[in-house]
Amino acid sequence: MKSIINIKNLSFSYGKELALNKLNAQFDAGKLSIILGRNGSGKSTLFNIMAGIQKKYDGQVYFDGCERRNIGTGKKRTIRIGFLNQFHHTTFPFTVREVIMTGRASFQNFAPSAADKEAVILILERFNLLHLIDKSYISLSGGERQLVLLCRVLVQKPDILMLDEPTNHLDLHYQIAVLKCIKELANEGTTVLCVMHDPNLAFMYGDNLYIMQNKQLVDIKDLEYRQLHVLLEETYQIPLVQLDNQGRNLFVPKI
Amino acid sequence: MNYYVKVTLLWLVPLILLIGSLMLGTTGNLTITELLDYVNKLITNNGVINAPQETILWKVRLPRIVLTFLVGSSLAVAGAVLQAIFRNPIVDPFTLGISSGSAFGAALAMLFPIMSVNLSAFIFGVCAVAFTYLVSFVGARTTIVSMVLSGVIVSGAFTALLTLLQYMSDPYKLQAIIQWTMGNLHTASWQKVQSAFGPIILGLVVVLLLRFKLNVLALGDNEALAVGINPKYLKLALIAVSTMITASAVAAVGVISLFGLIVPHMTRMAFGPNNNIGIWANISIGGSFLLIIDDFSRAVMPFEIPVGVFTMIIGTPIFIILMRKSLSIWSS
């Protein structure tokens, strides 16, 4: 399997507080890789570094052989990296169409083309959200906003898609809808990287699984279920019960 | 109202206002037939043109109308651009310190005439924004909050310096300084139009070209990066352009308060926050609105109220109404 993202000896600290310590990882191309971990374990820090928001790190982060800091923006960029942040606050009541159209901005010199307008409609159709197109983004529910933002990132047809807790604020229906769609994208060849909180959803949809532990990333895909059980209990600091879900492992808290 | 009707009005209203404003004046109002007759004579080049009428129309009213429209458009567009970039509806072109910098520059040139008042106002306006930008750099990057706060501080410093100049100057110069800072459309001339025209038109063209990208910036820096747009240089370019058009406007006619804050709000209420149409609308509404204000103070009032004072007086209630209407949007 060809790995498209290579992280070597990545360290990062907030002041004197070390957040990542000589982290090494590889992510496969065209797969859905999911990163699990506690709150404050450094998942979002790693995410921000990979997204290009945080640039002051030690070590190397290669995307398809190119150091993250050297990947440009706009039409010039060699590899399209799209990401969805955890928090978003908007001031102005843009319509859904306008919000998603901004996702096509890197394809345009000045004005959107007919292809850009069509892409906006297509992505909304894919998620069955076409009825929202002329609604104000601000008037939407949290879940709908999250989906619209996901559409906005997807409309640029990224080679690599990074999502920080994409199922946040979503009800079960939309959680599954989003994960299915992400999985589909991965099957179509997009490399998807996803930070998540729910280990069970991760086990159901992830091709590759990682857990953030001791400021490093541990690959847990090939662990035996007993080892996994121990690791999850260690990570989340609660006793867990292992159940069977149609041949897959399901971990629930023991009460 | 239908979207297309609104868009047609954007073109139609300024045109009607332009003609209407030509007919109004303290020296007597013209009828439309008189105006057409004059234009007809001018174009066909026959018939005797009434000399005083020509002077009034060509040398007094027209430059004032053109300058007023340009300044109104500039302040509105600069306000809209900065509100989008800073994602803050209470930012206006003067937030970054242009007005106090320019006022100080103008006063300085009036007291020590080394260069023209307009040029000095322009230079110090730009300097004030540059200061604001430099002060707001915190650890190699600048945030919205630090920039707005720096603007307040830099404004304060220039206002203090202006007060010092006023304190030192003799009564006649003091009067001139105060009149300048209150806005002075009545001193409009073709020469002023000429010096303001170039930078303002250039600035407006740049903003018009980048108006789609403004929507990306209005969603936030990370959201721009998320779709492969680097917000840094785009923001810097747009701030520079807004500064240029605002400083040119202020250098030509003095400080016109609140205008650049209110017009973008009016535009957003009519056309929504999409800058694609919003920038055109700000040009049209900004120019038209200032023209109406100026016509009012020119033709209706028994004496001319300085335009800066006028916008402040009528701007306050308008802003309160707009604010209360759109409060629900901001707070969510």
Side-chain angles (χ1 to χ4, degrees):
Chain A
M1 182 57 63
K2 185 181 168 264
S3 63
I4 193 165
I5 304 170
N6 283 298
I7 301 176
K8 285 179 187 156
N9 290 323
L10 177 66
S11 296
F12 183 83
S13 48
Y14 294 100
K16 280 181 182 167
E17 190 86 25
L18 201 62
L20 302 173
N21 187 13
K22 295 211 160 88
L23 181 148
N24 287 288
Q26 295 186 337
F27 297 105
D28 293 338
K31 293 282 179 197
L32 171 54
S33 304
I34 298 182
I35 299 172
L36 294 164
R38 293 277 305 275
N39 288 111
S41 64
K43 297 190 305 284
S44 293
T45 306
L46 177 64
F47 184 91
N48 285 346
I49 289 172
M50 293 173 74
I53 298 171
Q54 185 55 263
K55 291 181 175 174
K56 287 180 180 169
Y57 53 84
D58 294 318
Q60 289 91 39
V61 179
Y62 292 105
F63 279 72
D64 204 14
C66 188
E67 224 295 321
R68 182 64 184 97
R69 282 177 279 221
N70 300 330
I71 298 172
T73 47
K75 282 189 166 179
K76 283 179 294 185
R77 58 195 172 146
T78 47
I79 186 164
R80 282 202 293 272
I81 302 166
F83 63 87
L84 184 59
N85 260 32
Q86 232 181 97
F87 305 104
H88 180 250
H89 172 80
T90 183
T91 315
F92 302 111
F94 284 110
T95 65
V96 168
R97 185 199 302 272
E98 287 155 6
V99 168
I100 296 179
M101 184 59 88
T102 61
R104 297 288 297 180
S106 65
F107 294 83
Q108 305 155 5
N109 282 331
F110 297 113
S113 66
D116 293 329
K117 287 174 190 163
E118 204 187 306
V120 171
I121 307 240
L122 285 177
I123 196 78
L124 281 171
E125 269 176 353
R126 176 163 190 174
F127 281 85
N128 288 322
L129 294 173
L130 206 54
H131 58 285
L132 297 179
I133 192 162
D134 286 317
K135 283 208 172 159
S136 163
Y137 168 75
I138 282 178
S139 71
L140 304 181
S141 71
E144 285 170 329
R145 280 192 203 192
Q146 188 77 354
L147 281 174
V148 167
L149 287 179
L150 185 62
C151 288
R152 173 176 181 266
V153 179
L154 290 179
V155 80
Q156 62 170 329
K157 300 203 169 59
D159 304 308
I160 294 171
L161 176 66
M162 308 205 316
L163 308 162
D164 198 354
E165 291 172 32
T167 51
N168 226 352
H169 304 303
L170 299 186
D171 65 30
L172 198 56
H173 172 85
Y174 278 125
Q175 286 184 16
I176 301 302
V178 166
L179 286 169
K180 264 187 180 165
C181 175
I182 293 170
K183 182 84 178 173
E184 251 175 66
L185 284 167
N187 290 342
E188 287 163 18
T190 311
T191 305
V192 188
L193 227 77
C194 190
V195 171
M196 275 178 66
H197 271 310
D198 187 337
N200 292 318
L201 282 178
F203 295 146
M204 278 182 231
Y205 288 94
D207 295 316
N208 297 326
L209 298 161
Y210 301 85
I211 217 161
M212 201 68 157
Q213 209 185 29
N214 302 327
K215 304 172 175 61
Q216 293 197 335
L217 212 52
V218 184
D219 190 338
I220 56 170
K221 191 179 72 172
D222 299 323
L223 286 189
E224 216 192 302
Y225 71 91
R226 282 189 199 288
Q227 290 170 297
L228 189 61
H229 193 150
V230 173
L231 187 66
L232 285 176
E233 282 188 333
E234 245 173 50
T235 304
Y236 293 104
Q237 301 276 302
I238 43 163
L240 295 170
V241 181
Q242 189 189 335
L243 304 172
D244 176 69
N245 175 22
Q246 303 153 66
R248 284 169 209 253
N249 289 319
L250 195 67
F251 293 96
V252 292
K254 187 177 181 179
I255 18 176
Chain B
M1 209 191 304
N2 185 301
Y3 180 77
Y4 295 99
V5 176
K6 286 199 276 192
V7 173
T8 316
L9 283 179
L10 281 188
W11 296 97
L12 213 59
V13 170
L15 212 65
I16 294 169
L17 273 174
L18 186 89
I19 297 166
S21 309
L22 269 177
M23 291 161 23
L24 289 175
T26 37
T27 49
N29 299 338
L30 286 174
T31 63
I32 187 84
T33 35
E34 280 173 306
L35 188 69
L36 285 176
D37 186 45
Y38 168 74
V39 175
N40 185 30
K41 281 177 187 167
L42 206 65
I43 294 167
T44 54
N45 215 357
N46 62 32
V48 185
I49 286 174
N50 178 348
Q53 196 184 54
E54 157 136 48
T55 311
I56 288 166
L57 281 179
W58 184 247
K59 290 199 174 142
V60 179
R61 288 187 192 169
L62 195 59
R64 179 167 180 168
I65 290 165
V66 172
L67 193 65
T68 305
F69 196 88
L70 274 178
V71 167
S73 303
S74 308
L75 294 177
V77 168
V81 168
L82 294 176
Q83 287 180 5
I85 291 177
F86 289 107
R87 299 196 292 141
N88 190 335
I90 55 162
V91 164
D92 83 344
F94 299 150
T95 308
L96 303 179
I98 302 178
S99 63
S100 46
S102 290
F104 170 76
L108 196 68
M110 283 178 205
L111 289 182
F112 310 102
I114 354 168
M115 56 179 140
S116 83
V117 173
N118 297 351
L119 186 64
S120 176
F122 181 86
I123 291 171
F124 278 93
V126 173
C127 280
V129 178
F131 267 134
T132 301
Y133 204 76
L134 289 175
V135 171
S136 70
F137 261 85
V138 183
R141 67 197 211 107
T142 160
T143 63
I144 294 168
V145 176
S146 71
M147 202 153 170
V148 172
L149 283 178
S150 311
V152 173
I153 292 160
V154 171
S155 283
F158 276 108
T159 307
L161 289 173
L162 173 67
T163 314
L164 192 67
L165 287 184
Q166 287 173 338
Y167 184 72
M168 286 169 10
S169 57
D170 63 66
Y172 294 107
K173 281 184 174 161
L174 182 63
Q175 195 180 15
I177 292 171
I178 287 175
Q179 282 203 348
W180 191 94
T181 52
M182 287 191 297
N184 46 28
L185 284 169
H186 56 276
T187 59
S189 65
W190 281 122
Q191 192 227 329
K192 278 194 172 181
V193 173
Q194 214 173 25
S195 59
F197 192 81
I200 286 178
I201 295 295
L202 181 72
L204 291 180
V205 168
V206 173
V207 174
L208 280 170
L209 286 175
L210 293 176
R211 68 190 193 278
F212 290 95
K213 299 277 195 289
L214 263 178
N215 286 354
V216 188
L217 294 179
L219 288 177
D221 284 8
N222 285 351
E223 277 61 35
L225 268 178
V227 294
I229 295 288
N230 188 346
K232 206 165 95 189
Y233 300 111
L234 211 53
K235 270 164 79 172
L236 200 60
L238 281 162
I239 289 172
V241 163
S242 312
T243 305
M244 182 174 78
I245 54 178
T246 310
S248 313
V250 175
V253 304
V255 177
I256 299 179
S257 314
L258 278 185
F259 195 78
L261 178 67
I262 290 168
V263 176
H265 282 271
M266 295 164 77
T267 305
R268 269 199 296 276
M269 293 206 85
F271 291 92
N274 186 358
N275 292 292
N276 174 20
I277 182 72
I279 297 298
W280 288 113
N282 273 306
I283 291 177
S284 169
I285 296 173
S288 306
F289 191 43
L290 197 62
L291 209 51
I292 292 172
I293 291 174
D294 189 46
D295 284 348
F296 192 77
S297 77
R298 216 153 49 93
V300 181
M301 304 297 280
F303 58 94
E304 255 190 48
I305 301 179
V307 66
V309 178
F310 207 111
T311 54
M312 199 69 132
I313 290 171
I314 65 160
T316 311
I318 291 179
F319 189 72
I320 290 171
I321 293 166
L322 289 176
M323 190 188 75
R324 299 197 68 86
K325 274 196 166 182
S326 48
L327 209 58
S328 58
I329 295 170
W330 297 345
S331 52
S332 72

